[in-house]
């Protein structure tokens, strides 16, 4: 099931998407009566064309976006870093979240903004100290993410809060997919139509059960919190005017354009 958050006349709604188009440009959405993260799915009977709605970020995390750094060996190597011996965790603020087709704002403080396509986990229930064998119980579904990074600030600051946390630096979308086997999905990122990243979730250093067990060993996750699972090799710079698209097979494609702040 694909669950979208969308707007018509600026009113946010939720719905179940029916489409064969990973971009969400063609198909229909069956409107729900409320946010399915907090209430059982209930259809209103209203059905809209996807072409007539604006897809929004499928979730606005209640408290945080938790991210795993260097979770692909080839990505660690391309930046000259060692492979971590345990998950490397950092946070992005929920104010960094934007949706499909929203603009990624290029900050004036940086000269080196990179794309990082990733699989994202949407948490479905309050959880702490989750054992590996029970992580499926706390996952609501999966979406596509771009962990936008000011690479020069990441290096100069020595910690990643600013480099990863600018407004618009966490695009999510186009929807949340439930019931997906994510153990071996292809993750690709294109820049202006040219493939830059091409990896698979089976290449994770730390798989999803390991990641969620580790994160919940020290912090409580809330419904709607999002976990970014790491990016494949091939990260690189993008500039204002560029269009970046992250695709994950079986889920969809998240497309955003880089813009300047006017």
């Amino acid at each position: 099931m694909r669950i979208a958050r969308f707007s018509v006349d600026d009113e946010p709604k939720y719905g179940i998407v029916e489409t064969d188009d990973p971009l969400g440009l063609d198909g229909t959405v069956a409107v729900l009566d409320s946010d399915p993260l907090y209430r059982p799915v209930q259809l209103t009977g209203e059905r809209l064309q996807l072409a007539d709605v604006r897809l929004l970020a499928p979730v606005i995390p209640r408290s945080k976006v938790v991210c795993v750094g260097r979770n692909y060996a080839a990505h660690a190597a391309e930046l000259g870093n060692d492979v971590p011996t345990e998950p490397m965790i950092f946070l992005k603020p929920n104010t960094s979240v934007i949706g499909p087709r929203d603009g990624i704002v290029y900050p004036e403080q940086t000269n080196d903004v990179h794309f990082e396509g990733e699989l994202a986990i949407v948490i479905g229930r309050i959880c702490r100290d989750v054992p590996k064998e029970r992580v499926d119980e706390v996952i609501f579904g999966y979406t596509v993410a771009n962990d936008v990074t000011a690479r020069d600030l990441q290096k100069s600051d020595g910690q990643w809060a600013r480099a990863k946390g600018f407004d618009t630096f966490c695009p999510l979308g186009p929807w949340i997919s439930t019931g997906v086997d994510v153990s071996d999905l292809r993750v690709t990122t294109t820049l202006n139509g040219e493939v830059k990243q091409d990896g698979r979730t089976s290449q994770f250093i730390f798989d999803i059960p390991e990641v969620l067990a580790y994160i919940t060993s020290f912090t409580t996750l809330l419904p709607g919190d999002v976990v970014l699972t790491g990016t494949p090799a091939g990260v690189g710079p993008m500039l204002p005017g560029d269009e970046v698209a992250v695709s994950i097979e079986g889920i969809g494609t998240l497309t955003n354009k880089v813009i300047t702040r006017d």
Side-chain angles (χ1 to χ4, degrees):
M1 183 165 58
R2 300 183 182 101
I3 298 174
R5 180 170 165 265
F6 65 94
S7 67
V8 178
D9 298 327
D10 295 327
E11 180 185 355
K13 296 183 178 182
Y14 296 85
I16 297 174
V17 172
E18 297 176 0
T19 182
D20 294 322
D21 179 4
L23 296 172
L25 300 177
D26 182 49
T28 62
V29 56
V31 181
L32 300 176
D33 68 346
S34 61
D35 186 345
L37 265 169
Y38 304 106
R39 289 182 59 186
V41 169
Q42 182 66 47
L43 296 170
T44 65
E46 182 182 9
R47 188 177 294 271
L48 303 170
Q49 295 296 313
L50 278 174
D52 296 332
V53 308
R54 177 191 172 200
L55 291 176
L56 307 173
V59 62
I60 299 296
R62 179 184 288 185
S63 65
K64 54 192 172 295
V65 180
V66 187
C67 310
V68 184
R70 302 173 192 168
N71 201 22
Y72 286 78
H75 171 58
E78 73 178 344
L79 297 182
N81 297 311
D82 294 332
V83 173
T85 57
E86 61 182 6
M88 178 180 290
I89 305 300
F90 62 94
L91 302 177
K92 293 171 87 83
N94 58 8
T95 49
S96 66
V97 172
I98 58 173
R101 301 288 171 181
D102 289 341
I104 299 169
V105 178
Y106 202 107
E108 62 182 14
Q109 299 94 325
T110 177
N111 295 303
D112 195 18
V113 175
H114 283 208
F115 52 81
E116 295 190 7
E118 309 196 11
L119 173 72
I121 306 165
V122 180
I123 299 301
R125 54 181 287 189
I126 297 174
C127 55
R128 175 72 198 271
D129 293 319
V130 181
K132 295 178 185 178
E133 62 272 14
R134 298 187 63 185
V135 297
D136 286 347
E137 299 175 23
V138 306
I139 296 173
F140 180 76
Y142 300 90
T143 190
V144 183
N146 187 348
D147 176 21
V148 181
T149 304
R151 194 71 69 199
D152 50 353
L153 301 183
Q154 185 182 27
K155 294 175 182 176
S156 65
D157 288 358
Q159 51 78 32
W160 301 356
R162 184 167 65 138
K164 300 276 193 176
F166 280 99
D167 290 355
T168 76
F169 269 29
C170 189
L172 297 175
W175 42 64
I176 299 169
S177 292
T178 63
V180 180
D181 179 359
V182 298
S183 59
D184 185 31
L185 298 182
R186 187 182 184 193
V187 181
T188 60
T189 303
T190 63
L191 187 70
N192 301 322
E194 180 181 353
V195 176
K196 296 292 187 179
Q197 294 184 278
D198 193 349
R200 304 195 70 86
T201 56
S202 55
Q203 297 169 329
F204 285 153
I205 297 169
F206 305 103
D207 64 17
I208 288 173
E210 291 176 284
V211 163
L212 290 185
Y214 184 83
I215 291 170
T216 61
S217 72
F218 67 85
T219 190
T220 299
L221 294 177
L222 304 180
D225 281 352
V226 174
V227 177
L228 272 56
T229 56
T231 194
V235 300
M238 52 187 181
L239 296 170
D242 287 343
E243 184 175 84
V244 59
V246 183
S247 298
I248 300 180
E249 66 175 326
I251 298 180
T253 297
L254 170 67
T255 303
N256 300 91
K257 199 160 191 174
V258 185
I259 62 174
T260 56
R261 183 175 181 179
D262 297 325

